[in-house]
Each structure stands twice: as C-alpha cells, then as structure tokens.
C-alpha cells in the first residue's frame, strides 16, 4: 500500500522484517505483507524467550514450550523485532506455523493482513476470545485446539503443530 511508506520510515531502527510489518487495524494492530508473498514462502521466524505457560501473545511450540518476549522494550522495538506477537487469528488464514517459522499457506498480496489459526498451535488459550473473522466456518469462540469438536480438529489435521497431533481424533476410516 502506498501509504505504508511513512510507517516503515518510523520503524527502520532495529531488525525490520523484509516480508511484513505491524500496522494498525480497525480494532488494534496486525501484521501486513510488505511485498507479495508466494504460497509456501517463509514469512518470519518465531524467536523470543521460552516461557512455561501461555500468555496473551505467546505462541506454543511444544507441550511445555511457549515463546514470548518478556524483556521490557519500547513499542516500536517490539513491533520491529517481534512482529509475530501482533499476528491476528483467522479461522481460514493465509499463513501457518511450521516448526518455528510462519509460512504463507497461499499467495498473499502486498498490503494484505497476514493471519494464522491460533488453534493449530495453542492447546489451551491463555485468553479465549470471540472471533469475528467472517470465514464461513468461523469457530466463533476461540479457546484452543483441545476445545475444538472432533470435526474441527480433523479439519485442521494438515496444519496442526506436531505437539497437538497426538490429540487428533482417530480416523473412522
Ligand atoms: Zn473466525
């Protein structure tokens, strides 16, 4: 988007992600593509500090491993160094977490918001919320993978993180 130039200039200190940046949304902040991304392309790596329990912004990477930024830093530095903390949930997202990497699920246009499905990494959300993503199969209430119905869990089998695969319902085939 043409009007993103000034916000990029304001956050050029620190380590800016070449693929995405944090911008305001109607309801808060989110992560937006800085350039067109191809399906399967790496967007960013989820790097931070390991914490034993989930927080509002952490991402779960294993059963007892959540990644957060607990260092006291300013808001601009937080957006530049830890953009993944600003990712918004969508029930039919355009990106997925693979290992420690956020990967484009499909082609993402420059300026498009990047989203992922929290229930593919989070077993139990620290702060459940009502989703208004508007997807045809929106969950409504997002509480984590373990709160999904067996049908909703099966629908996520392809994208769910390895630490949640053991909780997938047995196939009836
Ligand atoms: Zn939704």
């Amino acid at each position: 988007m043409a009007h993103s130039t000034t916000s990029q200039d304001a956050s050029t200190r620190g380590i800016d992600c070449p693929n995405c940046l944090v911008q305001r949304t109607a309801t808060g902040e989110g992560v937006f593509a800085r350039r067109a991304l191809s399906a399967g392309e790496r967007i960013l790596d989820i790097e931070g500090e390991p914490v034993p329990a989930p927080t509002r912004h952490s991402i779960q990477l294993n059963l007892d491993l959540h990644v957060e930024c607990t260092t006291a830093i300013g808001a601009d530095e937080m957006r530049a160094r830890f953009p993944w903390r600003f990712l918004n949930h969508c029930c039919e997202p355009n990106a997925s977490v693979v290992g420690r990497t956020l990967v484009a699920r499909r082609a993402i246009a420059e300026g498009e918001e990047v989203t992922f499905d929290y229930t593919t990494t989070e077993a139990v959300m620290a702060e459940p919320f009502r989703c208004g993503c508007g997807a045809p199969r929106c969950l409504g209430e997002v509480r984590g993978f373990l709160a999904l119905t067996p049908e909703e869990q099966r629908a996520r089998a392809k994208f769910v993180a390895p630490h949640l695969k053991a909780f997938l319902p047995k196939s009836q085939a």
Side-chain angles (χ1 to χ4, degrees), residues 2-48:
H3 65 254
S4 67
T5 313
T6 45
S7 60
Q8 284 180 28
D9 293 344
S11 63
T12 41
R13 82 188 91 130
I15 311 138
D16 272 351
C17 176
N19 302 326
C20 61
L21 77 164
V22 177
Q23 289 185 308
R24 297 213 69 83
T25 66
T27 53
E29 289 176 292
V31 175
F32 291 79
R34 235 174 231 244
R35 59 180 184 83
L37 299 160
S38 312
E41 195 173 346
R42 172 198 164 276
I43 303 172
L44 56 79
D45 293 326
I46 298 158
E47 288 169 351

Side-chain angles (χ1 to χ4, degrees), residues 89-92 129-142 156:
H89 166 91
C90 180
C91 298
E92 286 180 22
F129 62 94
R130 274 211 74 74
C131 183
C133 74
R137 292 210 275 174
C138 177
L139 295 170
E141 194 79 19
V142 179
R156 286 162 173 75

Side-chain angles (χ1 to χ4, degrees), residues 42-167:
R42 172 198 164 276
I43 303 172
L44 56 79
D45 293 326
I46 298 158
E47 288 169 351
E49 296 149 34
V51 292
T55 68
R56 180 185 170 91
H57 298 287
S58 64
I59 292 182
Q60 185 168 10
L61 296 180
N62 211 328
L63 284 181
D64 54 1
L65 175 62
H66 306 259
V67 174
E68 210 352 345
C69 170
T70 56
T71 313
I73 57 175
D76 283 349
E77 188 179 355
M78 186 70 82
R79 293 184 191 96
R81 290 179 57 196
F82 304 98
W84 54 265
R85 292 181 83 250
F86 299 87
L87 282 165
N88 286 315
H89 166 91
C90 180
C91 298
E92 286 180 22
N94 54 19
S96 297
V97 174
V98 180
R100 277 185 177 248
T101 303
L102 185 73
V103 174
R105 240 190 227 204
R106 57 164 173 79
I108 301 174
E110 179 182 348
E112 187 178 350
E113 182 168 8
V114 178
T115 56
F116 89 103
D117 179 351
Y118 291 1
T119 67
T120 59
T121 60
E122 306 305 302
V124 179
M125 305 275 304
E127 296 187 23
F129 62 94
R130 274 211 74 74
C131 183
C133 74
R137 292 210 275 174
C138 177
L139 295 170
E141 194 79 19
V142 179
R143 315 185 66 83
F145 186 77
L146 298 185
L148 299 177
T149 66
E151 291 71 31
E152 291 165 344
Q153 291 181 334
R154 268 188 216 103
R156 286 162 173 75
K158 187 178 165 192
F159 298 106
V160 76
H163 61 269
L164 296 177
K165 283 206 193 295
F167 301 102

